[in-house]
Amino acid sequence: MRHPDAPAPGELLGAHYGECFGCGGEQPHGLHLEARAGDGVSITAEFTVQAAHQGAPGLAHGGVLATALDETLGSLNWLLRTIAVTGRLETDFVRPVPVGTVLHLEAEVTAVAGRKIYSSATGRIGGPDGPLAVRADALFIEVKVDHFIDNGRPEEIRAAMNDPDQVRRARAFEVNP
């Protein structure tokens, strides 16, 4: 169920971390994916496939497309006000995605069971109702902030902890700080 303090439908979610390859604005070759809250526990997102994202000549690399799906699915956790990490990502590549294409993504939470969050996403070319290019089903596992502190590189953890906006975002998800 959507958390009462979740962003309103249509609201831009923003980056969860500036250095994130999926959504961060500080990554020169990142996806710069922009996600917006949808109705219920759903979101929409877009990213434009750049030349730096290609695998075969002129086509998006499958790993980049999987990253876009993972980032979109992970953004759903903003609506649950839960910190979670990808446990499983199953991806189907339906059609090639050319460089220069805007990939229109939609994702929704399909079930929650304890710490497990199940979700699915689609990516379409040519518009939100365009041909299906990629789809994914995922399992996210809820974790505490300590998961990142205990496992991340110390220099990045220090930088994030010195960023008041980053600390504010992390603390917003704590139920019992």
Side-chain angles (χ1 to χ4, degrees):
M1 181 171 283
R2 184 188 190 98
H3 191 279
D5 295 331
E11 187 175 329
L12 186 65
L13 300 182
H16 68 273
Y17 177 55
E19 293 289 336
C20 175
F21 182 79
C23 66
E26 297 171 32
Q27 284 289 337
H29 298 298
L31 303 184
H32 303 171
L33 188 134
E34 293 189 349
R36 291 190 180 280
D39 293 325
V41 189
S42 70
I43 64 162
T44 59
E46 291 183 355
F47 95 96
T48 302
V49 178
Q50 304 294 323
H53 303 145
Q54 66 188 313
L59 298 174
H61 189 287
V64 169
L65 296 174
T67 300
L69 288 162
D70 184 51
E71 186 67 32
T72 302
L73 290 157
S75 295
L76 289 165
N77 297 313
W78 284 94
L79 303 181
L80 299 174
R81 302 278 296 195
T82 299
I83 300 171
V85 295
T86 309
R88 180 182 55 82
L89 178 67
E90 184 177 332
T91 307
D92 296 317
F93 302 96
V94 179
R95 72 179 63 236
V97 179
V99 169
T101 298
V102 176
L103 190 65
H104 299 268
L105 299 139
E106 292 184 13
E108 68 178 343
V109 171
T110 56
V112 176
R115 293 178 47 223
K116 296 178 180 179
I117 302 164
Y118 298 91
S119 53
S120 62
T122 59
R124 298 178 180 277
I125 56 178
D129 297 321
L132 181 67
V134 292
R135 64 179 164 238
D137 292 305
L139 166 65
F140 282 79
I141 308 297
E142 182 180 352
V143 296
K144 301 291 182 199
V145 173
D146 291 347
H147 168 85
F148 304 99
I149 294 170
D150 295 344
N151 296 292
R153 285 193 331 172
E155 52 269 29
E156 276 89 0
I157 298 300
R158 277 193 300 276
M161 295 306 283
N162 289 329
D163 176 351
D165 287 336
Q166 186 66 33
V167 172
R168 177 188 51 77
R169 285 189 290 272
R171 296 288 180 234
F173 288 94
E174 290 183 355
V175 176
N176 296 308

